[in-house]
Amino acid sequence: MVNIYPVAFRCLTTCLLGAGLGLGALPAGHAQSLDPGALLAQYNQTVLHEKLFVHLDRPAYLAGETMWLKVYATDATQHKPLALSKVAYVEVLNQARQPVLQAKLALQNATGQGSFVLPAGLPSGSYVVRAYTSWMKNFDPAYYFHGQVSIINTARASGARASQGPAYEVQFFPEGGQLVRGLRSKVGLRVVDAAGHGVAATGQVLDAQGTPVSTFETLKFGLGSFVFTPGTAGAGYSATVRLANNQVLTARLPAVQAAGYVLTLAEAGPGQLQLTAQTQGEGLASGEVFLLGHAGQRVAVAQRGQLVAGLATFTIDKRQLAGGITHFTLFDAAQKPRCERLYFRRPGPGLALTASPGRPAYATRQRVAVQLAAPAAASLSVAVYQLDSLSASQPADIRTFLALTSDLKGAIENPNYYLRDSSAAGQQAADNLMLTQGWSRFRWEEVLAGQPPRLPYAPELNGHFVYGRVTDASGKPAAGVTTYLASPSRAVRLYNSVSRPDGTVQFETSPFYGPSKLVLQTNSQQDSTHRLEMLSPFSTRYAPGPATTLALPLALTADLTQRHVQLQAQQAFQARFEHPYTQPAHDTVAFYGRPQEQYLLDDYTRFPTLEDVLREYVPGVQVRLRRDGFHFMVIDRPNQTIFHDNPLTMLDGVPIFNLNQLMRLDPLKVRKLDVVTGRYYHGPLTYDGVVSFTTYQGDLGGYQLPTQALLEEYEGLQGQREFYAPRYETVPQQQSRLPDFRNLLYWNPGVQLRAGQPRTLDFYTSDQAGRYLVVVQGLAPTGLAGSASFSLEVKPAL
């Protein structure tokens, strides 16, 4: 696709400056002293990053249930709601990272909502829900939102199977990126099982002769670290790892380099960090080095140092660092990046969101009132689901996601722990995570090149982009071909695009919902050899990651049986009450606005042919019959003359280029005729007037499209669907014999709080006794994020 940088630069620079993310983010005095810092600030002006957080109603589902979700869109630095994109793409990926469900969700005021009805035939397994925007497709897919869920098919006995891969995996991560001979280094350690869960372990590091040189022990979630000084270069170091079950594993450490750089980070007293650069090798003992620290899209630290005997030290005031993850990068004198180290600073207080019930326990079919409050206005989403062994895991809440997991690669076990435990052990665990999970959001070679990045995907600022491709008869991309996109309908919408050098075309459409028939075509009277195809707007790139499996031990049998019965009862007795998808009201005015002439054919004498209709009472259009057939000549009323070329002629919004075929259409099927008597400019094209016929059904009235035109079913934005929950306000309702086996009692993605004004939500319990978890996620306009949760007990009726 073509580079849209000039347009994107103007748009995104405005967004960046409006959000306070411009060059002013570079600390005073550093823009001129450190080129990488200035280049990074300049780079960030052109590549505003979005983040999407998806709140799912629960962590585990049965095939056949409905997955409800809400999308929050923010900028990647201050985490303020960012109303840049108007469409979010949400997918459910299977273990092979292939989509099994896809939806396009409308974003309004930086939020959106939707749902997936999980197919009854979906096999059991561990699935990933991922979400992104068109703009986010310009960057690594690891930036997309990824949330892991379990889906269990209780109707298929062969559902989940135990992992067939290796039982355990041991990985080592040298601090700064590499081990160098003779330089003392810290090494991160990660030990996980086949499902990706951390495993407690102890062990020793051995040199090539089998002599122990260091010991280690994991701290939390299979993560740990140790320090040692490699004495020889090469791949001579290994480790023996002993698990809690006394199983012993062996693994090799990364190869030791004979020369290079090492970057270490340590606490240097209250409120300070010390980063030490060490070098080994010919010509590396002296010279300048540069340290750059950035968080999100802001440069926080830019310091110059001098190597003395292969050592340079930098002292950092923590107050310079924003809450969340800061990336420290060490550059050599040639401004080549040599090492990277991540540091996590626990963010300040988030949104002080409170949620409390009227009481801790309730009877079945009883009203529950939940009071919500926050000191600031906020957009919230609320879910209430039954706690069982299937729903024991807790995914990252919105504050943890924005401050931590969205800037790390891969799945993080129990991510909320790192923001909640502020003890010394918690801080060490967070640093172990930084050692074993760190990464960069960009490639330094692109930043240092000083060139604007290639951004082929524009942000969907107004509506959904429909993509296509034009090729010639030999299958090669065809450039410069004018194409038209329309959907046969009584609401006249037409889009045009000229193909790019790679043959792609892009149409920015007005919002349309649900399945529609789209017609993609060229002018069949001028072009009959080009081939057309629709392209999926969903990303075809996937973040790497292990194919996690789902094992269902026998201990889950009771919970699985209960969930199976709940699902069957709900489908049998409650499904008919569920709300269908609905389409929001939309503008029905034609894209050309109010025409100068409009005719409702039922108001006039009905003539047998369209030619008679036009000649008898449509003065704005003159019909001419020439050697090649019919031609229309529209009156140019502003200039008091007549156009000599055919106007844009449409039937139900679809351009018609064969007027001879159109004139054979039965006029009794035509309801309305619009005429624009003047030159009309539409995108890059200019039309000598517009003649638009509309049928009663908006279905082309039997008109046959040319064989070159592509008619395809296309899924638009997902319609809105309201969560259904019965209410038991009266005695007859409470005594109804209709079973209510809901395990999801409540879902509301559209709660709006005002600052300091509590709000009460209410719902009713079902016939299912047990413990239920109430989860509230929220985001304030200032970027403060927060969550609240509590459990309540539903006791069976006596």
Side-chain angles (χ1 to χ4, degrees):
M1 296 190 178
V2 72
N3 191 344
I4 62 157
Y5 166 71
V7 176
F9 178 83
R10 291 192 298 270
C11 167
L12 296 179
T13 299
T14 301
C15 294
L16 280 162
L17 294 176
L21 304 176
L23 280 170
L26 190 65
H30 291 305
Q32 300 301 321
S33 64
L34 180 59
D35 288 342
L39 288 171
L40 178 61
Q42 180 180 0
Y43 178 89
N44 284 335
Q45 277 199 317
T46 66
V47 289
L48 171 67
H49 285 288
E50 294 175 289
K51 286 185 180 181
L52 294 187
F53 172 76
V54 179
H55 179 195
L56 298 172
D57 60 308
R58 47 194 156 166
Y61 304 85
L62 296 193
E65 290 184 330
T66 299
M67 175 189 294
W68 301 87
L69 57 93
K70 178 177 180 178
V71 179
Y72 295 83
T74 76
D75 72 81
T77 301
Q78 297 179 338
H79 302 149
K80 294 181 179 180
L82 182 63
L84 177 72
S85 296
K86 298 302 183 289
V87 180
Y89 298 88
V90 184
E91 302 175 284
V92 178
L93 309 181
N94 61 17
Q95 294 92 323
R97 289 295 195 270
Q98 296 302 311
V100 296
L101 292 168
Q102 296 177 316
K104 312 175 188 77
L105 304 184
L107 295 178
Q108 295 182 352
N109 300 320
T111 64
Q113 55 183 282
S115 62
F116 288 113
V117 178
L118 304 178
L122 208 58
S124 298
S126 180
Y127 291 77
V128 171
V129 177
R130 76 168 185 170
Y132 50 91
T133 65
S134 173
W135 180 248
M136 292 170 69
K137 291 193 294 183
N138 290 303
F139 312 106
D140 193 303
Y143 298 144
Y144 305 167
F145 171 86
H146 292 83
Q148 190 165 316
V149 298
S150 298
I151 300 177
I152 303 164
N153 193 322
T154 54
R156 296 174 59 173
S158 60
R161 290 188 289 268
S163 171
Q164 302 299 314
Y168 299 98
E169 182 181 18
V170 181
Q171 295 174 291
F172 296 98
F173 303 86
E175 184 177 24
Q178 63 180 348
L179 295 172
V180 179
R181 178 177 56 84
L183 299 183
R184 183 177 174 84
S185 300
K186 180 183 284 189
V187 179
L189 166 71
R190 181 171 182 259
V191 185
V192 295
D193 60 19
H197 298 139
V199 178
T202 59
Q204 292 181 318
V205 177
L206 310 175
D207 62 16
Q209 289 72 41
T211 303
V213 295
S214 184
T215 61
F216 55 80
E217 181 178 3
T218 58
L219 178 62
K220 295 285 290 186
F221 314 120
L223 304 181
S225 61
F226 59 93
V227 176
F228 89 116
T229 304
T232 58
Y237 289 89
S238 62
T240 59
V241 182
R242 183 177 295 276
L243 307 181
N245 60 6
N246 287 324
Q247 183 176 348
V248 177
L249 310 174
T250 60
R252 301 202 69 83
L253 272 67
V256 178
Q257 306 301 313
Y261 293 73
V262 167
L263 181 66
T264 59
L265 181 148
E267 298 283 340
Q272 288 188 326
L273 294 176
Q274 181 173 290
L275 285 97
T276 303
Q278 303 176 75
T279 62
Q280 175 69 271
E282 184 178 352
L284 300 181
S286 61
E288 282 192 325
V289 288
F290 308 91
L291 182 70
L292 181 68
H294 64 93
Q297 291 185 270
R298 284 190 170 183
V299 176
V301 174
Q303 292 189 14
R304 187 188 305 268
Q306 187 71 37
L307 287 168
V308 177
L311 188 69
T313 301
F314 302 89
T315 301
I316 308 298
D317 187 339
K318 291 183 182 179
R319 291 176 297 180
Q320 294 179 252
L321 309 180
I325 295 176
T326 297
H327 297 245
F328 289 104
T329 306
L330 180 72
F331 295 84
D332 63 16
Q335 297 184 357
K336 181 179 179 180
R338 291 292 187 175
C339 299
E340 184 167 87
R341 177 64 156 92
L342 270 62
Y343 174 74
F344 178 66
R345 183 186 183 197
R346 187 167 284 100
L351 179 65
L353 182 62
T354 61
S356 57
R359 54 189 176 199
Y362 296 85
T364 57
R365 300 196 178 190
Q366 188 173 10
R367 179 178 179 269
V368 179
V370 175
Q371 187 177 77
L372 305 176
S379 174
L380 310 181
S381 47
V382 183
V384 183
Y385 62 89
Q386 188 173 19
L387 279 173
D388 55 25
S389 54
L390 304 179
S391 303
S393 64
Q394 292 298 313
D397 60 38
I398 185 170
R399 181 166 173 257
T400 299
F401 173 80
L402 294 176
L404 179 68
T405 60
S406 60
D407 289 322
L408 298 176
K409 63 179 179 180
I412 310 301
E413 186 175 357
N414 197 358
N416 298 323
Y417 162 81
Y418 297 100
L419 266 69
R420 293 173 181 169
D421 188 350
S422 59
S423 67
Q427 294 176 11
Q428 182 59 54
D431 198 56
N432 290 338
L433 179 67
M434 296 300 101
L435 285 170
T436 57
Q437 297 282 344
W439 71 319
S440 290
R441 275 187 167 269
F442 49 80
R443 297 172 57 180
W444 273 111
E445 54 266 32
E446 294 179 355
V447 176
L448 298 177
Q451 298 296 321
R454 182 177 179 272
L455 304 170
Y457 297 100
E460 293 176 313
L461 302 175
N462 301 302
H464 173 53
F465 287 142
V466 175
Y467 295 98
R469 181 183 291 118
V470 185
T471 56
D472 59 24
S474 64
K476 296 180 179 180
V481 178
T482 301
T483 57
Y484 304 85
L485 180 74
S487 177
S489 169
R490 293 196 300 176
V492 180
R493 295 285 183 270
L494 176 66
Y495 313 96
N496 58 56
S497 178
V498 178
S499 60
R500 300 160 174 168
D502 62 355
T504 58
V505 288
Q506 174 182 295
F507 305 91
E508 184 178 35
T509 65
S510 300
F512 67 98
Y513 294 80
S516 298
K517 291 182 178 179
L518 296 186
V519 177
L520 179 62
Q521 62 175 330
T522 60
N523 188 334
S524 58
Q525 299 299 101
Q526 301 175 358
D527 167 38
S528 61
T529 60
H530 287 118
R531 300 173 182 174
L532 304 171
E533 63 175 320
M534 293 276 197
L535 301 178
S536 171
F538 290 94
S539 175
T540 56
R541 298 188 301 148
Y542 300 91
T548 56
T549 57
L550 178 67
L552 301 177
L554 292 177
L556 296 180
T557 301
D559 286 336
L560 287 173
T561 301
Q562 181 181 23
R563 289 286 292 268
H564 178 78
V565 172
Q566 290 173 345
L567 175 61
Q568 298 304 312
Q570 287 301 105
Q571 291 180 337
F573 298 104
Q574 299 286 345
R576 65 180 182 271
F577 300 114
E578 293 182 354
H579 299 290
Y581 287 101
T582 60
Q583 297 187 12
H586 60 279
D587 188 5
T588 59
V589 177
F591 72 91
Y592 46 77
R594 185 181 298 275
Q596 284 72 42
E597 297 181 13
Q598 186 175 84
Y599 304 92
L600 299 177
L601 272 61
D602 284 342
D603 293 343
Y604 299 85
T605 300
R606 280 296 193 171
F607 293 97
T609 66
L610 282 182
E611 180 182 1
D612 293 331
V613 170
L614 293 170
R615 291 185 185 279
E616 290 296 331
Y617 55 80
V618 184
V621 181
Q622 296 186 6
V623 180
R624 295 289 185 267
L625 188 60
R626 299 173 184 167
R627 181 174 302 176
D628 57 348
F630 286 101
H631 289 259
F632 294 165
M633 299 172 62
V634 172
I635 304 297
D636 181 7
R637 295 202 183 278
N639 297 303
Q640 299 296 310
T641 184
I642 299 176
F643 292 119
H644 296 285
D645 293 327
N646 283 323
L648 169 64
T649 304
M650 295 178 293
L651 177 62
D652 291 332
V654 178
I656 303 299
F657 302 102
N658 188 339
L659 297 183
N660 296 329
Q661 182 180 351
L662 176 66
M663 297 297 270
R664 292 194 290 270
L665 183 69
D666 184 356
L668 294 178
K669 296 182 178 180
V670 178
R671 174 181 173 271
K672 183 178 66 172
L673 169 61
D674 290 346
V675 181
V676 176
T677 56
R679 184 164 279 114
Y680 186 79
Y681 299 92
H682 190 214
L685 304 182
T686 303
Y687 304 119
D688 288 346
V690 177
V691 177
S692 176
F693 297 91
T694 304
T695 65
Y696 285 94
Q697 303 299 324
D699 59 358
L700 300 179
Y703 180 87
Q704 295 296 315
L705 294 171
T707 57
Q708 301 93 333
L710 176 65
L711 177 63
E712 190 168 301
E713 192 85 9
Y714 191 90
E715 191 70 30
L717 301 177
Q718 187 181 87
Q720 297 298 306
R721 188 183 184 200
E722 185 180 350
F723 176 77
Y724 168 75
R727 300 184 68 84
Y728 300 104
E729 298 171 332
T730 65
V731 173
Q733 288 174 332
Q734 295 170 4
Q735 296 177 349
S736 170
R737 299 178 63 184
L738 199 64
D740 180 2
F741 284 4
R742 288 174 297 130
N743 54 63
L744 178 65
L745 298 183
Y746 187 72
W747 167 252
N748 189 342
V751 180
Q752 297 294 325
L753 273 188
R754 295 183 178 179
Q757 297 184 20
R759 179 174 176 180
T760 299
L761 306 177
D762 70 327
F763 56 90
Y764 285 81
T765 61
S766 67
D767 297 336
Q768 292 296 303
R771 290 180 62 243
Y772 289 80
L773 185 66
V774 179
V775 178
V776 185
Q777 308 277 10
L779 182 66
T782 58
L784 286 178
S787 65
S789 65
F790 63 87
S791 62
L792 56 87
E793 189 80 19
V794 176
K795 297 183 177 181
L798 298 179

